[in-house]
Amino acid sequence: MSTPTITRKISTRESTTVTLLLIGVALAYLLLFLGLPLVAVFVEAFKKGWQLYWEALQEPDAWSAIKLTFIAAAIAVPANLVFGVSAAWAIAKFEFKGKSLLITLIDLPFAVSPVVSGLVYVLLFGAQGWFGPWLQAHDIKLLFAVPGIVLATIFVTFPFIARELIPLMQSQGKEEEEAAVSLGASGWQTFYKVTLPNIKWGLLYGVILCNARAMGEFGAVSVVSGHIRGLTNTMPLHVEILYNEYNFVAAFSIASLLALLAVVTLLIKALVEWQAKRSGEPLHHGA
Amino acid sequence: MSSFKAHSVLPGFNLALGFTLLYLSLIVLIPLSSLFFKTATLGWGGFYDVATSDRVLASLRVTFTTSFVAAIVNALFGLIVAWVLVRYKFPGKRIIDALVDLPFALPTAVAGITLATLYAPNGWLGQYFAAQDIKVAYTPLGIVVALTFIGLPFVVRTVQPVLADVEAEVEEAAASLGAGRWDVFRRVIFPAIFPALLTGFSLAFARAIGEYGSVIFIAGNMPYISEISPLLIVAKLEQYDYAGATAIAVIMLLLSFSLLLAINALQWWSSNRGAR
C-alpha cells in the first residue's frame, strides 16, 4: 500500500528547490509591497519621538478631522446597512423581473472613479448645479460642508454590505422563513429570529469593510470637501494637507491612526472569517 | 403585479424593494445621470474638443498604460502568491494570508504618502534605485508602484479559491500518463485557473484606472508625463470648468466599460474553449 502513495506524492509536487524559490518570490513581493509600507508608516510617525507624535494628535485641527471622520462613518455605515438588508431581502427572498439588472446597478459605485463620485454631487449641488440656485435661495449649504462629505462617503461605500448579503441570503434559500411565517410569525419576528442569526457573520463582515472604506475615503471626499481646516477636513484630507506643508511627522502621526484602523479591520475580518467557517455560514469574499 | 413578481408567502416585498429603488435612485442613479446631462450641454463639438485636447489624451495614455502594467505585474506575482498560499505550508502563513487584504483596508492617502516616502531618492528603497540612476517617485514608474499596491489583492483573491478546487486526481492522472510537473501546470492547472486570473486582472485594471489618492503623492503630477486623468478632472474642477471635468469623466467611463466588455468576451471565449 505504501509504495503507490509515495510515488503519487512525488509525481504531483514540485522539487524542493522550486518550492523554496516560489515561497521566496511570494514572500519578497508581499514584504516589498505590503510589509515595508506598513512598517514605514509607524517608523515615520515616531521618527522625532513620542512627544511630537502626541502633540500632532492633540492639535485642534487634527481633533476636528478625527471627529468628522467618525461622524461621516457613523451616518454612512448604518444608512448602507439598512439599504443592504432591504435590498438583500427583496432580491434573495423573492422572484421578480429585472433582478439581475438591479444587482448590476447596485455594484455601479465600484465601477466609478472616486473623483467622479465626488464630481456628481458637485454637478447636483454646486453653484451651477441642478439644485444649486434653489439651495442658495434657501441658504442651505450641502457642498463644501459636512452633508456633502457624508453623501460622498455613502456613495463610495454604497455596495459593500448589499453585495455581501445578497449572495449569502440567496444561498440560504427561503424555506426557513416560509416555515416561520406559516407558523404565525410576523415579518419582523421572522427577520429577527430566523434570518438575522443566519446572516450575522456576513453582516458583520460587510459592516467592517464598509466602515474601513468610509473612514479612509479620499478622492470623493476631497472633491466635495472644500478643504476648510477644522471644519470640512476628514483624517485622510488632513494627512494630505500636513504632507503638502512638509509637516511629515504630523502627517504620518494621523496616518498611523488610519493604519492602525486598517490593521484592526484585518484582524476582525480574519476573526469573522474563522467564526463563519466554524458555524458553517459561507462568506462571499469580495473586494 | 402578478406578471412582475412570482407569488410568495413572505411579507415585506413592497417595502424592501420600494426602499431599495428609492435609495438607489437618490444616492446613485440621479447623481450619475447628471454626468450625461452636463456633458450634453457641451454639444458634440465641445465634447470632441475636450476629448482630443493634447493634455487629456496624454493623461488617458498615462492612466491606461500604468494601470495595464500594474495589472500585469499583479497577475504574474498574484498567481505565485495564490499558488504558495494554497499549495504550501510554512510558518506565519495565516498572518501573510490576512495581510494580503491590506490595500483594501489601508486608506489610499496613507498608502500614497508612505510609498512616496519609501521611493523618494533618499527613501529606504529609493536610494538603491537612485544609485542605479533610476527615478521611481515623481515619474510614471512611481504611478505603477502605487497602482500595483492598490490592485494586489484582486488576483490573489480570485485565483485562490479556484486553485484550491482543482482536483488532485486530474493532476495525478496527467502525471501518471508521463507528464512532467511543468506540463501538468501548463496543460491542466493553468487552463482551469485562467478565467479566474483574467477576472482578477480586469478587477485590478479597473480599480487602477479610477485610482486617485495613492497616486497623486508619488506621481509628481507633471502635465503630459505623469498626470493621471482623475487628477486632471480635479484640476478642471478647481478652475470651475465643470463641463470639461465631466467630459473627461464620461470618456473614462466609456473607455473602462468597453475594456471590461472586451475582457468579459475574452473570458467567455476562454471558458467555452475549456468546456469543449
Side-chain angles (χ1 to χ4, degrees), chain A residues 152-252:
Chain A
T153 307
I154 291 180
F155 184 99
V156 291
T157 57
F158 183 87
F160 275 99
I161 298 170
R163 66 151 33 190
E164 182 61 41
L165 289 183
I166 292 168
L168 175 63
M169 280 165 72
Q170 274 179 327
S171 74
Q172 288 174 343
K174 53 189 175 188
E175 286 80 11
E176 289 183 44
E177 281 87 358
E178 281 171 348
V181 167
S182 66
L183 288 172
S186 76
W188 291 114
Q189 278 174 328
T190 308
F191 177 74
Y192 277 113
K193 302 243 159 107
V194 179
T195 311
L196 201 57
N198 280 336
I199 60 167
K200 59 177 185 294
W201 295 119
L203 196 83
L204 192 58
Y205 194 83
V207 165
I208 292 161
L209 294 182
C210 183
N211 180 65
R213 181 69 192 269
M215 290 191 164
E217 177 52 27
F218 179 76
V221 170
S222 164
V223 170
V224 296
S225 136
H227 305 275
I228 308 162
R229 273 182 103 129
L231 281 179
T232 63
N233 266 344
T234 60
M235 286 163 79
L237 298 180
H238 197 55
V239 167
E240 182 198 20
I241 289 187
L242 292 170
Y243 184 84
N244 287 341
E245 286 170 349
Y246 302 101
N247 193 348
F248 295 132
V249 168
F252 277 102

Side-chain angles (χ1 to χ4, degrees), chain A:
Chain A
M1 266 314 270
S2 63
T3 328
T5 320
I6 289 168
T7 36
R8 182 193 278 178
K9 271 194 174 164
I10 289 167
S11 64
T12 57
R13 290 247 163 118
E14 296 76 48
S15 66
T16 319
T17 327
V18 174
T19 304
L20 289 178
L21 188 71
L22 287 176
I23 294 180
V25 169
L27 290 185
Y29 179 65
L30 294 179
L31 182 78
L32 188 67
F33 276 98
L34 302 181
L36 216 52
L38 189 58
V39 173
V41 177
F42 293 99
V43 171
E44 293 290 329
F46 291 114
K47 215 174 190 173
K48 303 269 165 71
W50 281 92
Q51 190 67 35
L52 279 178
Y53 181 82
W54 278 121
E55 274 171 27
L57 293 187
Q58 280 161 356
E59 217 232 337
D61 288 346
W63 255 113
S64 71
I66 294 171
K67 261 188 277 178
L68 183 55
T69 298
F70 276 91
I71 291 171
I75 299 173
V77 175
N80 285 333
L81 175 64
V82 173
F83 162 72
V85 170
S86 72
W89 181 265
I91 288 170
K93 305 293 175 189
F94 299 92
E95 293 307 320
F96 58 93
K97 280 183 186 156
K99 194 193 263 195
S100 50
L101 175 68
L102 180 59
I103 296 175
T104 311
L105 290 178
I106 289 174
D107 266 349
L108 216 50
F110 277 166
V112 177
S113 168
V115 169
V116 177
S117 314
L119 167 68
V120 293
Y121 289 108
V122 175
L123 294 181
L124 284 184
F125 304 126
Q128 319 172 16
W130 283 355
F131 303 110
W134 187 87
L135 290 170
Q136 241 167 9
H138 291 77
D139 210 18
I140 304 171
K141 217 165 155 45
L142 292 184
L143 207 61
F144 310 130
V146 176
I149 291 172
V150 172
L151 273 175
T153 307
I154 291 180
F155 184 99
V156 291
T157 57
F158 183 87
F160 275 99
I161 298 170
R163 66 151 33 190
E164 182 61 41
L165 289 183
I166 292 168
L168 175 63
M169 280 165 72
Q170 274 179 327
S171 74
Q172 288 174 343
K174 53 189 175 188
E175 286 80 11
E176 289 183 44
E177 281 87 358
E178 281 171 348
V181 167
S182 66
L183 288 172
S186 76
W188 291 114
Q189 278 174 328
T190 308
F191 177 74
Y192 277 113
K193 302 243 159 107
V194 179
T195 311
L196 201 57
N198 280 336
I199 60 167
K200 59 177 185 294
W201 295 119
L203 196 83
L204 192 58
Y205 194 83
V207 165
I208 292 161
L209 294 182
C210 183
N211 180 65
R213 181 69 192 269
M215 290 191 164
E217 177 52 27
F218 179 76
V221 170
S222 164
V223 170
V224 296
S225 136
H227 305 275
I228 308 162
R229 273 182 103 129
L231 281 179
T232 63
N233 266 344
T234 60
M235 286 163 79
L237 298 180
H238 197 55
V239 167
E240 182 198 20
I241 289 187
L242 292 170
Y243 184 84
N244 287 341
E245 286 170 349
Y246 302 101
N247 193 348
F248 295 132
V249 168
F252 277 102
S253 300
I254 309 285
S256 75
L257 292 185
L258 290 167
L260 203 63
L261 168 79
V263 172
V264 171
T265 301
L266 291 184
L267 269 176
I268 303 178
K269 188 170 161 289
L271 211 67
V272 169
E273 278 167 6
W274 178 65
Q275 283 290 340
K277 207 172 165 188
R278 249 181 28 150
S279 67
E281 176 188 318
L283 283 179
H284 168 74
H285 297 263

